[in-house]
Amino acid sequence: MSGATERPRRVEYSEHTRAALVESAIELFTERGYANSSLDEIAKRARVTKGALYHHFAGKRALFEAAFEGVEIGVVSRLSAEMPGKRDPWEELRAGLDAFLRECLEEPFRRVVVQEGPVVLGYRRWYDLGERYTFGLVRSSLTRLVENGTIDSGSPVDVLARVVFGGLSAGANTIANSDDPKRTSVEVGQALERLLRGLRDGGTG
């Protein structure tokens, strides 16, 4: 019986340790950036040994990737909460855009995902990871708009989704590197809404 309970406890402890390391890494990478963050300090902040860190992650880059994904998962969770399926698809998409623009003003997303991500991970890996998360929401929203006739049913959803996703990525980068992020966020939002309205006004609905 003891053996049956010990393993789940070990698993639970292992998961807790990994989560603590990821959270610590997000905090430190956000505050100092990748280059100025050490594994020793990340382990110390997580209150685990460096050996425990290496048990979960091969090195600093692997830990950064986990931190990147942790930030993205949080963003997708909050965007999903703003885009319930029961809403009108157009209003759902607009709500998602507004929520995304708010995320662009948050330091973990700005620093870890937008600024540090492509440098540390390389553009291809950075893009692939970003597409794994927010792209799914974009594609789902556009699919609903096509299905209800708001966007021309002949439009290739995958192509449209990638164009819109590219616009969101470019907008996030513009905001992250602006001297006045709040003002730029408004301007980016206006530009993206014009893009989306162009898709809608070209539809049959």
Side-chain angles (χ1 to χ4, degrees):
M1 179 65 71
S2 61
T5 58
E6 284 175 7
R7 185 177 182 280
R9 287 175 183 170
R10 288 199 300 271
V11 170
E12 182 178 344
Y13 177 77
S14 179
E15 291 174 348
H16 175 79
T17 298
R18 188 184 190 283
L21 284 165
V22 171
E23 183 61 32
S24 174
I26 291 173
E27 292 175 359
L28 208 56
F29 291 143
T30 299
E31 292 170 12
R32 302 183 185 179
Y34 180 81
N36 295 318
S37 301
S38 71
L39 291 179
D40 286 327
E41 189 159 5
I42 290 172
K44 182 179 179 181
R45 186 173 293 201
R47 297 183 179 180
V48 303
T49 66
K50 197 171 180 180
L53 186 153
Y54 279 114
H55 174 75
H56 290 278
F57 302 102
K60 189 175 175 182
R61 186 183 180 282
L63 181 52
F64 179 87
E65 184 167 317
F68 180 101
E69 291 194 85
V71 174
E72 283 278 44
I73 289 169
V75 169
V76 169
S77 176
R78 289 186 290 275
L79 291 182
S80 297
E82 295 288 335
M83 301 171 67
K86 64 182 180 180
R87 286 186 180 177
D88 172 80
W90 178 253
E91 292 306 315
E92 176 184 281
L93 185 61
R94 291 189 71 255
L97 174 59
D98 290 342
F100 178 78
L101 292 171
R102 289 196 297 273
E103 291 294 335
C104 288
L105 297 175
E106 296 296 325
E107 278 299 295
F109 184 77
R110 183 188 73 85
R111 189 75 182 269
V112 176
V113 173
V114 181
Q115 293 183 328
E116 298 276 358
V119 176
V120 178
L121 301 174
Y123 178 80
R124 184 71 260 173
R125 181 60 176 164
W126 170 77
Y127 186 89
D128 287 345
L129 285 174
E131 190 174 75
R132 179 184 298 176
Y133 296 102
T134 49
F135 177 76
L137 291 178
V138 173
R139 191 184 189 286
S140 176
S141 289
L142 290 176
T143 297
R144 293 189 66 209
L145 287 167
V146 167
E147 288 175 348
N148 80 346
T150 301
I151 294 177
D152 185 356
S153 60
S155 300
V157 176
D158 280 337
V159 172
L160 289 176
R162 291 183 190 282
V163 169
V164 173
F165 177 72
L168 293 174
S169 298
N173 186 66
T174 302
I175 295 168
N177 294 292
S178 171
D179 292 331
D180 188 348
K182 289 185 178 180
R183 175 181 59 79
T184 303
S185 175
V186 173
E187 295 171 348
V188 167
Q190 292 169 343
L192 289 172
E193 182 151 353
R194 282 196 294 272
L195 170 65
L196 295 174
R197 286 186 181 279
L199 296 176
R200 185 190 66 176
D201 294 344
T204 59

